[in-house]
Amino acid sequence: MVQPFGGGTTSVSSKMPGRDRARPSNCFVLNFDRLFIVAFTLFLPTAISFAAESARDSDYDYDPPAAGSYSLPVIKPAADGALLDSNNKSVQLRDLTRGRITVLSFIYTRCAAPKACPYATGVLTQIHDLSVDDKILAKRMRLVSLSFDPEYDTPQRLAAYSENVREQESGCEWRFVTSKSRAELEPILAAYDQAVDKRQNPADSQGPLYHTLRVFLIDREGRIRNIYSSGTLDPRLVVADVKTLLLEESRVSKQ
């Protein structure tokens, strides 16, 4: 059972081996070419039993639960905020976290730590690739990558970034957004308990920013249902969680 949210704690099961090994996320400057190599993509099965059939690995040596065999409690409402998309158009965050099941990832494009932003983007790429051949996921799921580095991650840079990490044009919606200013970003970070700090040395080999990795699962009504960290962001689990919410919606609609 997923534990209730509180004080920024990642919402994960304490009974599932391999899910409680959160690791710190350190980032350093990396150019785009190397970042795209790090941001790996794998073709994932499209069967409904995807989560149960996928192979274990050294990071996630457990069998994830079958979709629909568990429930995800409501943690809290997903906060709103003013943003800019990769086309330099204003958009409200609430419009990107309602109407579809959303996987929201906080990133910045200069991050390079293998288990931080490149890993999170790689997981979303895998999920997006899966949705290309899954009509239900393509229609009812959305991915959002939100940069917390507005000074560097301009809409133009996010557009270039998205073209390189999103290998398939079809599949589910995947939006890349940033904020107009640090002042408009801060309330969003606070609402999602997303810690981001500037390093004292901007040229530090770890990069200009330090942050924790947090990825949010949000239902179509705009409620956070799970929070993943660098130690729990298993693509098999995320897909199982998304399909669990889809099955929940189906049961509710039949009542």
Side-chain angles (χ1 to χ4, degrees), residues 159-172:
Y161 179 78
S162 68
E163 290 178 1
N164 282 276
V165 301
R166 183 172 50 197
E167 295 185 344
Q168 304 288 341
E169 289 299 326
S170 58
C172 72

Side-chain angles (χ1 to χ4, degrees), residues 46-59:
T46 60
I48 293 297
S49 57
F50 161 83
E53 295 178 355
S54 297
R56 301 182 182 192
D57 61 28
S58 58
D59 285 332

